[in-house]
């Protein structure tokens, strides 16, 4: 498990989402387009020994055939790099930027895609060049290559490229049997099969990809033993990868969408090679579609939870995702407005566009549940929020897989909208203690212990008409601590602080966000705003792994053995007035809010319970 987790944190080497949009992993190119999801296969197995080349994760787009003749490789923001001698003899140890993802994708061989496709069409020169490079990899990286993490992590990707190359040889040379000069290719596939059998990464996207690659070798070489090992792993893995409520075990919204595609491909691959995928994969994947639809915010994106870039929800026809992904323009409108998932997610919304435009609804996410693993961040109790057609509260985002201070920050408590405790270093399980869903408000209470002797409780009340969020954070510790409730705002916002309020808006926009710090059981402290700080790192947003922008963070701070921080987040028209008063009614405080002419009353009980009473 230790090598598994380390390699996951470094590289997360998965296939690409087979739709348009950003990618949830060490992205080959966040802007590339991808092949559509495979069509729904017949309910009974297709009796063929067919394994289709699964393409090249979009990496081939930046690596034209002309560059392959010069032994040049391009990935991400690194310029085209000459990696060989111009004759297909590659230096497989080169890594100019010391970027583990660049290095892994070099070893994946997916950058040969355009050359392989040209070879399949009969371009013998291109076929010879990609064959030379692939064979050079085989010669320079003898089995077992496990000591080289780049070669190791890319095995599943490289396996598929070798299968694609084999198909190209047959079609490009117009033969039905592999020529003797290419026997090395089948030998290499069998070495990869042996490696994949002995080095299974476990029941998550790595393992699923590995099983599909192993199955591909079995199908291509007509090895039923390999097919059975792979299909048995898939049958077992689906029960861990996607639970009965549709949550994946990756702790990332973007990876959840990727897994939806990946398991769709699994169904297609198994059926086309004569294996019945059974009913579990289909059923769990259907629940994942519902999960993704509920997770979709009013902008048509998935909230950036875990290792996630800004990813649009894919409007898969014939599923609940069609309505969510088209912003309500197509498909059948879902009926569920709030989803609470044992995997650690709450997704809620004011509606699906029934009485106002889809994009004008307010949507939110709340994290809780099992402790951090795989692609998860230290984001428990954190919220995201959209309203009035824009992002209001955002996540710090996904800084990529290079192990440095930026990735450490992006995964830490300080990159999320939560009560941070400076000395806390744990990644605890967080319990959803209570929840109550009403017609115009939802209430949640969460609790965890992020460090030794530290307790943290968050109460969240989300309102409709007026749309706003009330959050009460309480922390206690046996020693003095620095507590901060953080509110991460989009990078286009400018913040003005006045007393106990901060007002944020994009210059010239028609929407503003008012953040109130309201005294409750404790005096307030001056509001702090941080943007673009590098020492310590704070106030940034990663929209993609290679696009980092300064973004303001509003901080409500406390110091001592305990903290009580009551916040209100209200998005309104720019000219709207937001005001409040408080009164005491017995043991509870009444918070009287007036938001753009609409008055509402919130009761804050001594135990922290939040309730809308008007």
């Amino acid at each position: 498990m230790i090598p598994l987790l380390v390699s996951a944190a470094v590289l997360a080497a998965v296939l690409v989402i087979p739709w348009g949009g950003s990618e949830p992993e060490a992205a080959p190119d966040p802007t590339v387009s991808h092949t559509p999801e495979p069509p729904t296969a017949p309910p009974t197995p297709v009796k063929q020994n067919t394994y289709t080349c699964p393409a090249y994760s979009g990496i081939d787009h930046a690596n034209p055939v002309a560059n392959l003749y010069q032994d040049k490789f391009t990935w991400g923001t690194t310029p085209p790099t000459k990696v060989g001698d111009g004759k297909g003899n590659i230096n497989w140890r080169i890594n100019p930027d010391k970027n583990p993802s660049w290095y892994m994708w070099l070893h994946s061989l997916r950058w040969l895609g355009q050359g392989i496709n040209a070879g399949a069409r009969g371009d013998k020169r291109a076929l010879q060049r990609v064959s030379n490079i692939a064979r050079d990899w085989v010669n320079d990286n003898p089995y077992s290559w496990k000591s080289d993490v780049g070669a190791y992590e890319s095995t599943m990707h490289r396996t598929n490229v070798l299968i694609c190359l084999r198909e190209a040889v047959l079609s490009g040379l117009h033969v039905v049997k592999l020529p003797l000069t290419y026997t090395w290719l089948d030998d290499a596939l069998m070495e990869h099969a042996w490696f994949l059998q002995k080095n299974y990464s476990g029941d998550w996207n790595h393992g699923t990809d590995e099983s599909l690659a192993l199955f591909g070798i079995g199908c291509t070489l007509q090895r039923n033993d390999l097919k059975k090992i792979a299909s048995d792993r898939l049958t077992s893995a689906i029960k861990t990868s996607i639970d009965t409520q549709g949550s994946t075990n990756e702790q990332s919204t973007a990876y959840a969408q990727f897994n939806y595609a990946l398991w769709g491909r699994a169904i297609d691959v198994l059926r086309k090679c004569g294996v019945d995928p059974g009913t579990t994969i289909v059923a769990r994947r259907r629940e994942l579609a519902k999960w993704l639809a509920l997770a979709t915010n009013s902008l048509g994106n998935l909230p950036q939870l875990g290792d996630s870039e800004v990813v649009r929800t894919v409007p898969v026809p014939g599923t609940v995702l069609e309505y969510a992904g088209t912003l309500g323009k197509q498909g059948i409108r879902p009926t569920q407005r709030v989803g609470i998932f044992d995997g650690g997610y709450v997704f809620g919304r004011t509606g699906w566009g029934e009485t106002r435009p889809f994009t004008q609804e307010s949507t939110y996410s709340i994290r809780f549940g099992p402790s951090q693993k795989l692609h998860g961040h230290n984001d428990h109790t954190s919220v995201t929020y959209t309203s009035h057609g824009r992002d209001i509260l955002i996540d710090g985002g996904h800084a990529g897989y290079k192990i440095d201070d930026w990735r450490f920050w992006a995964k830490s408590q300080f990159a999320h909208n939560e009560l941070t405790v400076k000395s806390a270093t744990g990644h605890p399980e967080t319990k959803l203690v209570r929840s109550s869903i009403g017609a115009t408000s939802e209430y949640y209470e969460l609790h965890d212990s992020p460090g030794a002797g530290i307790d943290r409780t968050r109460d969240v009340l989300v309102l409709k008409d007026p749309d706003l969020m009330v959050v009460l954070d309480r922390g206690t510790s046996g020693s003095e601590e620095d507590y901060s409730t953080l509110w991460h705002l989009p990078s286009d916002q400018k913040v003005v602080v006045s007393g106990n309020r901060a007002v944020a808006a994009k210059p010239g926009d028609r929407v503003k966000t008012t953040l109130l710090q309201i005294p409750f059981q404790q005096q307030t402290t001056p509001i702090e705003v941080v943007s673009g700080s590098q020492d310590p790192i704070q106030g940034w947003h990663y929209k993609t792994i290679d696009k980092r922008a300064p973004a303001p963070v509003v901080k409500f701070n406390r110091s001592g053995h305990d903290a009580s921080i009551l916040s209100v987040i209200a998005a309104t028209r720019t000219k709207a007035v937001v005001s409040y008063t408080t009164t005491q009614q017995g043991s509870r405080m009444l918070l009287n809010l007036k938001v753009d002419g609409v008055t509402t009353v919130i009761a804050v009980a001594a135990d922290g319970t939040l309730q809308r009473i008007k």
Side-chain angles (χ1 to χ4, degrees):
M1 282 304 296
I2 292 175
L4 167 64
L5 295 176
V6 170
S7 63
V10 176
L11 297 172
V14 300
L15 291 174
V16 70
I17 301 175
W19 309 301
S22 297
E23 306 189 19
E25 33 99 56
D29 181 346
T31 62
V32 299
S33 59
H34 311 296
T35 56
E37 182 188 34
T40 302
T44 55
V46 179
K47 298 299 182 182
Q48 299 178 23
N49 282 317
T50 302
Y51 181 82
T52 305
C53 168
Y56 307 100
S57 297
I59 299 176
D60 55 320
H61 294 185
N63 291 277
V65 178
N67 282 17
L68 302 185
Y69 290 137
Q70 301 176 57
D71 291 342
K72 287 185 177 179
F73 167 60
T74 303
W75 179 83
T77 58
T78 302
T81 303
K82 190 173 180 62
V83 295
D85 63 358
K87 299 178 182 179
N89 181 22
I90 307 300
N91 177 4
W92 297 106
R93 306 283 85 79
I94 194 172
N95 188 0
D97 292 336
K98 293 182 172 52
N99 185 328
S101 296
W102 186 96
Y103 185 75
M104 187 277 294
W105 288 114
L106 173 72
H107 281 261
S108 77
L109 302 185
R110 287 187 177 274
W111 52 289
L112 304 181
Q114 287 198 38
I116 292 174
N117 290 341
R121 295 190 298 267
D123 186 334
K124 292 184 179 179
R125 183 185 177 212
L127 183 63
Q128 188 61 54
R129 172 45 59 104
V130 294
S131 298
N132 287 347
I133 294 175
R135 190 169 188 178
D136 185 69
W137 188 95
V138 172
N139 291 336
D140 290 357
N141 297 274
Y143 186 90
S144 162
W145 44 86
K146 191 172 181 179
S147 61
D148 187 328
V149 67
Y152 170 26
E153 288 288 343
S154 60
T155 297
M156 56 194 173
H157 303 293
R158 189 173 51 255
T159 298
N160 279 310
V161 174
L162 295 176
I163 292 174
C164 294
L165 177 59
R166 191 181 194 279
E167 293 175 5
V169 170
L170 298 178
S171 59
L173 299 181
H174 305 290
V175 296
V176 295
K177 185 177 180 181
L178 202 66
L180 290 177
T181 53
Y182 279 93
T183 54
W184 66 269
L185 189 49
D186 279 358
D187 292 342
L189 284 172
M190 284 307 301
E191 284 189 337
H192 280 63
W194 183 252
F195 188 93
L196 291 168
Q197 288 180 76
K198 298 295 183 181
N199 298 280
Y200 179 55
S201 294
D203 298 342
W204 58 307
N205 76 76
H206 272 222
T208 306
D209 265 328
E210 290 164 356
S211 296
L212 288 173
L214 179 60
F215 187 89
I217 298 172
C219 188
T220 299
L221 302 183
Q222 299 185 32
R223 288 285 302 264
N224 289 332
D225 56 331
L226 302 181
K227 288 168 58 178
K228 186 175 189 314
I229 292 170
S231 59
D232 286 350
R233 283 181 180 174
L234 290 168
T235 300
S236 174
I238 184 62
K239 298 173 185 177
T240 302
S241 181
I242 307 173
D243 69 20
T244 57
Q245 295 180 326
S247 297
T248 71
N249 63 341
E250 309 261 358
Q251 297 188 348
S252 158
T253 45
Y255 272 100
Q257 181 158 257
F258 170 71
N259 271 279
Y260 181 80
L262 184 61
W263 284 102
R265 180 170 173 259
I267 294 170
D268 189 60
V269 163
L270 290 171
R271 283 175 172 163
K272 283 185 176 179
C273 203
V275 175
D276 185 353
T279 60
T280 304
I281 296 177
V282 175
R284 298 285 175 99
R285 189 166 175 263
R286 186 184 303 118
E287 293 306 310
L288 175 54
K290 297 176 185 177
W291 188 99
L292 289 165
L294 280 167
T296 302
N297 65 29
S298 57
L299 310 180
N301 300 326
L302 295 172
Q304 284 185 274
L305 305 181
D307 286 339
S308 299
E309 296 182 332
V310 174
V311 177
R312 293 198 65 79
T313 297
V314 177
V316 182
T319 73
V320 291
L321 290 167
E322 184 173 15
Y323 189 89
T326 62
L327 304 177
K329 296 181 179 68
Q330 294 174 227
I332 300 173
R333 179 186 294 143
T335 57
Q336 188 176 356
R337 188 173 61 82
V338 178
I340 301 175
F341 299 93
D342 295 341
Y345 302 88
V346 177
F347 299 123
R349 58 200 320 116
T350 52
W352 287 100
E354 296 93 337
T355 60
R356 49 173 140 167
F358 185 102
T359 58
Q360 295 302 305
E361 300 284 8
S362 296
T363 57
Y364 63 92
S365 71
I366 307 175
R367 281 285 284 125
F368 68 101
S371 60
Q372 179 189 18
K373 62 180 178 180
L374 297 176
H375 291 291
H377 289 186
N378 190 3
D379 60 0
H380 282 188
T381 75
S382 182
V383 302
T384 66
Y385 193 48
T386 70
S387 188
H388 288 69
R390 65 163 298 126
D391 280 311
I392 302 301
L393 299 175
I394 64 170
D395 186 271
H398 178 22
Y401 299 98
K402 185 176 182 179
I403 298 180
D404 57 16
D405 291 343
W406 293 103
R407 177 161 174 80
F408 177 83
W409 171 80
K411 295 186 68 174
S412 76
Q413 59 178 328
F414 303 106
H416 310 289
N417 300 306
E418 59 184 287
L419 174 66
T420 64
V421 186
K422 189 173 183 180
S423 71
T425 57
H427 307 103
E429 176 185 4
T430 303
K431 293 183 179 180
L432 177 61
V433 180
R434 291 185 289 169
S435 64
S436 176
I437 311 302
T440 61
S441 67
E442 293 94 60
Y443 167 68
Y444 310 96
E445 180 187 349
L446 305 103
H447 178 266
D448 62 20
S449 298
I454 301 171
D455 281 308
R456 184 174 66 164
T457 300
R458 166 164 278 191
D459 297 87
V460 181
L461 183 68
V462 187
L463 271 62
K464 175 182 180 180
D465 299 327
D467 293 7
L468 56 86
M469 187 176 284
V470 182
V471 178
L472 174 61
D473 286 314
R474 289 166 292 158
T476 62
S477 176
S479 59
E480 291 201 357
E481 295 287 350
D482 291 330
Y483 301 91
S484 294
T485 291
L486 305 183
W487 301 117
H488 292 258
L489 305 175
S491 60
D492 60 6
Q493 302 284 279
K494 303 298 181 185
V495 181
V496 177
V497 175
S498 177
N500 280 351
R501 75 174 56 213
V503 179
K506 175 185 176 181
D509 201 359
R510 295 178 296 176
V511 179
K512 69 178 180 181
T513 300
T514 300
L515 301 101
L516 302 175
Q517 180 188 197
I518 298 172
F520 177 71
Q521 298 180 345
Q522 213 173 51
Q523 291 300 309
T524 61
T525 61
I527 294 174
E528 183 182 358
V529 180
V530 180
S531 181
S533 172
Q534 295 192 39
D535 187 19
I537 294 175
Q538 185 55 282
W540 299 90
H541 178 222
Y542 280 88
K543 187 174 183 179
T544 67
I545 62 173
D546 55 8
K547 292 182 181 178
R548 179 179 72 224
V553 178
V554 175
K555 302 176 67 175
F556 299 161
N557 302 317
R558 302 286 188 274
S559 294
H561 290 274
D562 57 81
S564 177
I565 304 174
L566 181 61
S567 307
V568 174
I569 301 94
T572 63
R573 297 179 303 112
T574 303
K575 296 182 179 180
V577 175
V578 178
S579 61
Y580 78 93
T581 61
T582 61
T583 57
Q584 201 68 27
Q585 186 186 69
S587 63
R588 65 180 185 174
M589 183 182 83
L590 298 184
L591 173 58
N592 308 289
L593 286 166
K594 190 171 185 180
V595 180
D596 201 4
V598 179
T599 300
T600 187
V601 180
I602 309 300
V604 186
D607 67 354
T609 302
L610 303 176
Q611 181 183 11
R612 181 177 191 171
I613 59 177
K614 179 181 178 181

